[in-house]
Amino acid sequence: RGDAGVLGGGRRGRGAWREIAQKGAWSRLHGGHFDWWMFPIDDGSKAQYNVYAEDVEELKGNAEYMANYREGVRLALAAWGWDVEEAKPVATKKSGMGWTSWDVRLAKICRSLWLFEEAAYLKSCQAFARSVKPNGGFRYGSINLDELLHFKLPR
């Protein structure tokens, strides 16, 4: 199951993302492979990081994990130039911020938010998705990822 990730002292060291954000090195944020464990889903390609209903409930009961998880969402979307809390583009886009066309990463974040029942963040991420691809068309190779636009809560 997913861990508290880089924000909670996981694989890349405590505070790595915070440091990247503080330095304004936004483009570096999306250079790593973190989605599997940072934004766990139930059907990912790395089975060791998949979460199921009982895992999700356990993690939702861990306040530190959830604080780190939400911060991870905020920082990942900020690197794309989106303010998750305000559900709109960041007020002043900094160097390195912008959409990287990583459809699969956005799809994983949306699916994870749906699984964790994070309604406000899911709605905001879907608004971001619609801002970058208003007509859908999210893909990973031949796989259509447009489901990210259709997740609804409550499940």
Side-chain angles (χ1 to χ4, degrees), residues 40-68:
I41 59 175
D42 55 347
D43 67 348
S45 62
K46 301 285 186 184
Q48 67 268 34
Y49 300 115
N50 288 350
V51 293
Y52 304 99
E54 60 277 1
D55 302 316
V56 171
E57 289 309 311
E58 181 181 337
L59 290 169
K60 285 170 59 176
N62 181 326
E64 179 183 13
Y65 178 85
M66 291 307 297
N68 289 331

Side-chain angles (χ1 to χ4, degrees), residues 12-82:
R12 306 285 187 262
R14 183 170 293 278
W17 275 28
R18 288 182 192 115
E19 185 177 324
I20 287 170
Q22 288 168 352
K23 289 181 178 179
W26 293 104
S27 61
R28 284 187 46 215
L29 205 90
H30 287 291
H33 291 282
F34 53 81
D35 357 3
W36 302 306
W37 45 272
M38 193 74 185
F39 308 112
I41 59 175
D42 55 347
D43 67 348
S45 62
K46 301 285 186 184
Q48 67 268 34
Y49 300 115
N50 288 350
V51 293
Y52 304 99
E54 60 277 1
D55 302 316
V56 171
E57 289 309 311
E58 181 181 337
L59 290 169
K60 285 170 59 176
N62 181 326
E64 179 183 13
Y65 178 85
M66 291 307 297
N68 289 331
Y69 175 81
R70 289 182 196 106
E71 184 177 8
V73 173
R74 286 191 304 272
L75 292 175
L77 272 287
W80 283 329
W82 190 258

